[in-house]
Amino acid sequence: MTEQFRSAYRALAEEAGSYADPERAIAVARRRRRTRTLALPAVLTIAVAIGTVLVVRPDPDPPPLQTLGPDVTASAQAPAAATPLPATAVGTATLVYAPCRDCSTRVVLTTGAHHLVPSDDVGMTAIGTSLSPDGRWLSYPAGRDMKVRDLTGDRVWTVASSGPQRRVGVLTWSVDSSRILLSDYHDGQDNTYTVLQLGTGTRTTADVAEEDLIVGVLPTGEVLTTPDLLGPSRQRSTRITLTTGTGTAARTIDVDATRWLDTTETVVWHNAVHPAVGGGYSLVVAAYPGEGPDPTAVLRVNAAGEITDRQDIPSRDNRFQYWYVVGSDGSDVLFGKVETLTGQQATTLIAVQPDGHLREITTLPQEAVIRSPGAT
């Protein structure tokens, strides 16, 4: 696998996980798919290492990452054929995925059953589909609208786009699964935002400045933002400011990670901030400079903005493996570990837990699009 192919896959992983402009991510993915000449096996097996990697520092000379073990063999096969999702209550779910970017999207229930997510489009539906942190609510595109369904009951909320050239997308869920933040947009521009209260169907308009980046919605319905420093310049930063609410009621938290980072790391990167249960945050550290997401650690931050610990992740084992951020369920931070060696082409979904352990969730084909609970 050449470095060029590795860079292309890293870019696709980041675009697939980007909630800022799903239409552009889809277009880029399809264009690159047409020009790709490398054929990838869809069914293989890989050995996955899991263990404890908790490191609390600052340390001026950080030690190397701890060796992981023992090895656990996992199948890279896509699960068996799925049936359409019934219209009746089916119970909570644990995962949404598509085996490839043009494959049908599937939802996996806690019972182990696999069902096809309703779709009136061919392929790429998984990029617009998401699951609430508690696994109860499933959101999926219906043309240019968005449906949010209670898998444990019969309620379905439909959020319609505001015009024929516009589309509704999901930005984020609150960690208690009580609210979902949606965007109404045209070609990734001219966004308007709505907070949907899932229990009642109540909708509230959210006012967000154009220059700010949305990183979450709180159980109160307030939107969490940060200055949009994650753009093309991608300057290195060891500090990040989080803002809750807008106008005179806005509250800010300054997170200073300077003494928790080395000179090759930054906290300003794609998909870095994740609200946590209890009012704190998980903050993903990335390598700097880097070709892609390159996550290297997770910082745990309390509600006051104080960093309490650092958990290193083995994201730089070799040039044929990389990790990307999938999302967070409010406790674990979820990553996709992608193997690109011939004979080891697969994506493994791994949770970095607050106690520092890595937990392997599932292994799927390398090109799988993964939406675990809380991820958008």
Side-chain angles (χ1 to χ4, degrees):
M1 177 72 66
T2 65
E3 190 65 26
Q4 289 82 0
F5 279 117
R6 179 171 176 269
S7 297
Y9 281 123
R10 295 162 69 93
L12 283 174
E14 185 174 3
E15 287 155 358
S18 174
Y19 49 66
D21 190 352
E23 282 191 324
R24 183 170 57 190
I26 292 171
V28 172
R30 283 178 170 159
R31 184 171 64 251
R32 288 179 174 168
R33 188 176 181 86
R34 286 195 300 268
T35 59
R36 191 184 312 134
T37 59
L38 181 66
L40 297 176
V43 181
L44 296 161
T45 58
I46 94 172
V48 181
I50 51 177
T52 303
V53 291
L54 176 62
V55 177
V56 179
R57 38 181 178 128
D59 189 335
D61 296 307
L65 297 178
Q66 298 179 30
T67 302
L68 300 181
D71 289 344
V72 175
T73 300
S75 172
Q77 295 184 3
T83 57
L85 183 64
T88 55
V90 294
T92 57
T94 61
L95 185 70
V96 171
Y97 77 98
C100 70
R101 287 174 174 78
D102 289 328
C103 295
S104 299
T105 304
R106 309 176 184 201
V107 57
V108 183
L109 305 180
T110 52
T111 61
H114 293 245
H115 293 293
L116 298 174
V117 175
S119 174
D120 54 10
D121 191 12
V122 177
M124 307 304 288
T125 305
I127 288 181
T129 304
S130 64
L131 190 63
S132 64
D134 64 2
R136 175 180 175 180
W137 297 90
L138 175 71
S139 72
Y140 55 92
R144 294 185 172 273
D145 305 334
M146 183 64 63
K147 290 187 178 294
V148 185
R149 173 182 166 181
D150 181 2
L151 295 174
T152 66
D154 57 4
R155 282 180 293 184
V156 180
W157 307 121
T158 300
V159 181
S161 62
S162 61
Q165 302 302 317
R166 299 180 68 83
R167 184 182 294 272
V168 177
V170 174
L171 293 182
T172 185
W173 301 84
S174 62
V175 293
D176 66 347
S177 301
S178 66
R179 288 173 169 80
I180 185 172
L181 177 64
L182 304 112
S183 172
D184 184 303
Y185 61 92
H186 173 64
D187 289 337
Q189 305 295 323
D190 189 26
N191 292 272
T192 59
Y193 305 100
T194 299
V195 176
L196 171 65
Q197 189 171 1
L198 296 166
T200 63
T202 303
R203 305 172 194 196
T204 306
T205 300
D207 184 19
V208 180
E210 184 177 351
E211 64 272 15
D212 289 340
L213 180 73
I214 295 173
V215 295
V217 60
L218 303 184
T220 59
E222 296 173 295
V223 177
L224 180 70
T225 62
T226 187
D228 189 0
L229 303 176
L230 312 184
S233 61
R234 302 210 173 203
Q235 298 176 355
R236 179 176 184 266
S237 178
T238 61
R239 306 172 71 104
I240 193 166
T241 300
L242 306 177
T243 302
T244 301
T246 57
T248 57
R251 306 181 303 280
T252 61
I253 299 173
D254 182 47
V255 181
D256 184 0
T258 303
R259 66 192 187 96
W260 293 84
L261 307 181
D262 63 33
T263 57
T264 64
E265 294 178 322
T266 180
V267 293
V268 174
W269 207 261
H270 171 80
N271 212 4
V273 182
H274 302 276
V277 174
Y281 308 92
S282 297
L283 187 58
V284 178
V285 176
Y288 184 87
E291 302 166 354
D294 277 333
T296 60
V298 175
L299 301 179
R300 302 294 181 171
V301 185
N302 63 24
E306 301 164 334
I307 299 172
T308 57
D309 64 54
R310 168 180 171 134
Q311 300 161 239
D312 286 336
I313 59 174
S315 59
R316 293 175 287 183
D317 289 359
N318 56 64
R319 66 191 185 94
F320 298 107
Q321 178 193 116
Y322 64 91
W323 292 45
Y324 68 92
V325 183
V326 173
S328 171
D329 62 3
S331 176
D332 299 346
V333 181
L334 305 157
F335 295 86
K337 184 183 76 171
V338 181
E339 299 278 357
T340 61
L341 274 170
T342 301
Q344 289 183 320
Q345 293 167 337
T347 296
T348 304
L349 181 63
I350 295 177
V352 177
Q353 300 174 297
D355 63 4
H357 285 81
L358 301 184
R359 177 172 59 90
E360 177 191 316
I361 298 173
T362 189
T363 302
L364 295 166
Q366 181 186 358
E367 291 191 300
V369 178
I370 303 172
R371 291 288 182 267
S372 53
T376 51

